[in-house]
């Protein structure tokens, strides 16, 4: 691992810093969210991944970003066998994610990472959170493999589960089958109801015909595909879900082609392409005509992964910004000594910490929902689109503003800032644009009665936060106003206020969670962050007031606790 540059270098370089060691809050939070024995067991693995993410993985990610995959149409002997050629740096990262850290297997297989029994969902998101701070693109195939396995277990026939689940969760690269989902069509986009891909019955299987317009990981071993069985009704109720293998059980290639790979703004390390289905053999998954309902389970799981990836991108941007501010000198001072820079750093820190808190709590709710808790499921249906809506949008701003802190070098592709910015923009598009996801928040409130589940959950978190009475009243006042806005927004059939209502819900929930974390993890600075969310996002404020309500002492505490380098005075 390369040594750190001297701290007085005019162009500070954080390469080689451990992204675990520079994030003391993360170490404290796992004690609040995980049983003590499990936290102690995982800590050395998290330390290892944090060091890799700040060094070797970042190096590999930069190399893979600059050497994107290529589509080979024929073999050198002239056989028409397509292959996506991946750069060796990407392949090394695949081994790290799928094999060494078991990111696609953790949720489905017990006895992973040296732990006896089933690990809770949060563990996967913790490791993803660190991994994505180095590499974003690969986390899409990892997430889709994990989500496809989940959907297959839930809706697939026992025969399909027995045949494919062991390979979807394998940590052996020779037997692993990666997953994908092929939904988007050129004419429909997010409107699944107009799906034109045909499914023609042939014995126990179906033959699929049609084009899919945006298919990430297009050479995956298995893909979930939406198609309309011949003779099915128009609209959403006529769409069914199918499992499409790349290679058929007899070893032959299935009848579909990758037409081309996309030249993308971000996630360049990972292939995305256009697929033409030419009578491809596939199996019906679950009940015919309920394809979107079943695929929605996979999509929602992927949306949560989108949220943790955005949270990770923001944390990496914050980490880089704090490193520069601590080590870059100008006008006789370090940047972090300058008042405007201190305010800018706090504006980067706040949304990053909101996203982290939302993801961690949602992972706990996911565990309860998967255990059969109906209230937890209703809550999950609200929290997941909220994270996808707000955290993914915040990541675009945070990564862009952090790039500015590095100055002119931040605009140069030799540094990681441009890649963070490019990758961050995908979160708001993948698995539903912001408008689509905001409308999903509305559906969760109307159909799942998610507010009825949210209110007692927030009440419990507030009670366990042990807040001073005056601050608790502020939270309750904000909650009353937010709920009123949400109810008005969902009652409006035009849906014109749902984005504003979704943002308000996100801010209310994240502030409540951080107040809870302050008590449970013994992190008093989390309460300062929660107060900033209340003050600047939820409560009435005078935009022309000279005082922003944060004392110099509190500002210093937040800046000192946000980022640390072992051995340095803060």
């Amino acid at each position: 691992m390369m040594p750190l540059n001297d701290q007085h270098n005019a162009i500070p370089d954080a390469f080689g810093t451990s992204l675990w060691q520079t994030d003391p809050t993360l170490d404290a939070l796992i004690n609040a969210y995980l049983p003590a024995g499990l936290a102690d067991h995982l800590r050395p693995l998290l330390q290892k991944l944090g060091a890799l993410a700040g060094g070797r993985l970042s190096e590999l990610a930069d190399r893979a970003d600059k050497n994107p995959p290529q589509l080979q149409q024929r073999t050198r002997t002239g056989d028409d066998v397509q292959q996506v050629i991946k750069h060796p740096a990407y392949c090394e990262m695949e081994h790290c994610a799928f094999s060494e850290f078991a990111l696609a297997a953790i949720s489905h297989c017990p006895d992973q990472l040296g732990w006896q029994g089933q690990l809770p969902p949060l563990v996967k998101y913790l490791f993803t959170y660190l991994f994505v701070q180095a590499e974003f693109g690969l986390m899409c195939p990892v997430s889709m493999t994990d989500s496809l396995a989940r959907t297959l277990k839930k809706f697939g026939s026992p025969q399909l589960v027995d045949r494919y689940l062991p390979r979807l969760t394998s940590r052996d690269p020779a037997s692993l089958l990666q997953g994908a989902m092929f939904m988007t069509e050129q004419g429909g986009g997010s409107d699944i109801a107009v799906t034109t891909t045909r499914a023609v019955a042939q014995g126990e299987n179906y033959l699929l015909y049609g084009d899919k317009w945006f298919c990430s990981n297009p050479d995956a071993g298995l893909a979930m595909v939406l198609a309309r069985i011949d003779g099915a009704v128009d609209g959403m109720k006529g769409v069914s879900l199918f499992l499409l293998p790349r290679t058929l059980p007899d070893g032959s290639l299935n009848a579909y082609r990758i037409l081309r790979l996309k030249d993308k703004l971000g996630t360049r390390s990972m292939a995305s392409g256009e697929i033409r289905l030419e009578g491809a053999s596939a199996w019906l998954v679950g009940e015919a005509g309920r394809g979107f309902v079943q695929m929605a389970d996979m999509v929602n799981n992927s949306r949560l992964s989108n949220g943790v990836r955005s949270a990770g991108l923001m944390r990496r941007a914050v980490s880089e910004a704090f490193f520069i501010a601590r080590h870059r000198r100008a006008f006789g001072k370090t940047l972090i000594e300058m008042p405007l820079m201190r305010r800018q750093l706090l504006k980067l820190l706040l949304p990053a910490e909101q996203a982290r808190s939302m993801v961690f709590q949602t992972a706990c709710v996911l565990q309860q929902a998967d255990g059969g808790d109906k209230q937890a499921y209703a809550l999950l249906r609200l929290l997941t689109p909220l994270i996808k809506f707000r955290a993914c949008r915040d990541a675009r701003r945070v990564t862009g503003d952090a790039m500015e802190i590095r100055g002119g070098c931040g605009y140069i592709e030799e540094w990681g800032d441009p890649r963070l910015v490019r990758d961050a923009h995908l979160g708001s598009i993948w698995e539903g644009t912001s408008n689509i996801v905001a409308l999903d928040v509305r559906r969760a409130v109307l159909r799942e009665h998610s507010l009825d589940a949210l209110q007692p959950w927030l009440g419990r978190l507030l009670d366990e936060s042990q807040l001073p009475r005056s601050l608790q009243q502020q939270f309750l006042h904000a909650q009353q106003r937010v709920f009123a806005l949400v109810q008005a927004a969902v009652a409006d059939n035009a849906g014109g206020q749902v984005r504003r209502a979704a943002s308000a819900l996100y801010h209310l929930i994240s502030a409540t969670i951080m107040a809870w974390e302050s008590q449970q993890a013994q992190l008093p600075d989390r309460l300062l962050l929660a107060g900033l969310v209340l003050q600047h996002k939820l409560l009435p404020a005078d935009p022309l007031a000279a005082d922003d309500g944060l004392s110099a002492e509190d500002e210093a505490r937040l800046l000192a606790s946000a980022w640390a380098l072992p051995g340095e005075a803060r």
Side-chain angles (χ1 to χ4, degrees), residues 242-301:
F242 298 87
L243 182 67
L244 176 77
R246 182 67 172 144
T247 302
L248 297 172
D250 64 4
S252 62
L253 284 174
N254 209 347
Y256 66 91
R257 293 186 295 129
I258 305 170
L259 299 178
R260 64 167 178 163
L261 298 185
K262 302 285 194 181
D263 185 10
K264 297 176 294 183
L265 173 68
T267 63
R268 293 176 178 173
S269 64
M270 182 268 301
S272 298
E274 299 165 22
I275 297 290
R276 174 158 294 165
L277 301 155
E278 302 172 318
S281 183
W283 294 279
L284 179 67
V285 175
E287 183 181 345
R290 291 184 57 80
F292 180 74
V293 174
Q294 293 153 181
M295 177 67 97
D297 185 77
M298 184 173 179
V299 170
N300 285 332
N301 206 47

Side-chain angles (χ1 to χ4, degrees), residues 549-562:
L550 191 66
S551 69
E553 293 78 10
D554 287 344
E555 178 189 81
R557 281 175 49 196
L558 284 176
L559 291 172
S561 65

Side-chain angles (χ1 to χ4, degrees), residues 91 304 346 351 412 486:
C91 296
L304 181 52
L346 289 177
I412 306 303
V486 172

Side-chain angles (χ1 to χ4, degrees), residues 32-33 61 69 71 84 88 91 135 164 195 228 285 332 412 444 462 506:
Y33 281 101
L71 180 60
V84 175
C91 296
E135 162 62 7
Y164 287 119
T195 294
R228 192 180 304 277
V285 175
I412 306 303
L462 273 182
Y506 180 88

Side-chain angles (χ1 to χ4, degrees), residues 233-245:
V233 299
D234 293 336
M236 196 77 78
K237 293 183 179 180
V239 178
S240 298
L241 181 63
F242 298 87
L243 182 67
L244 176 77

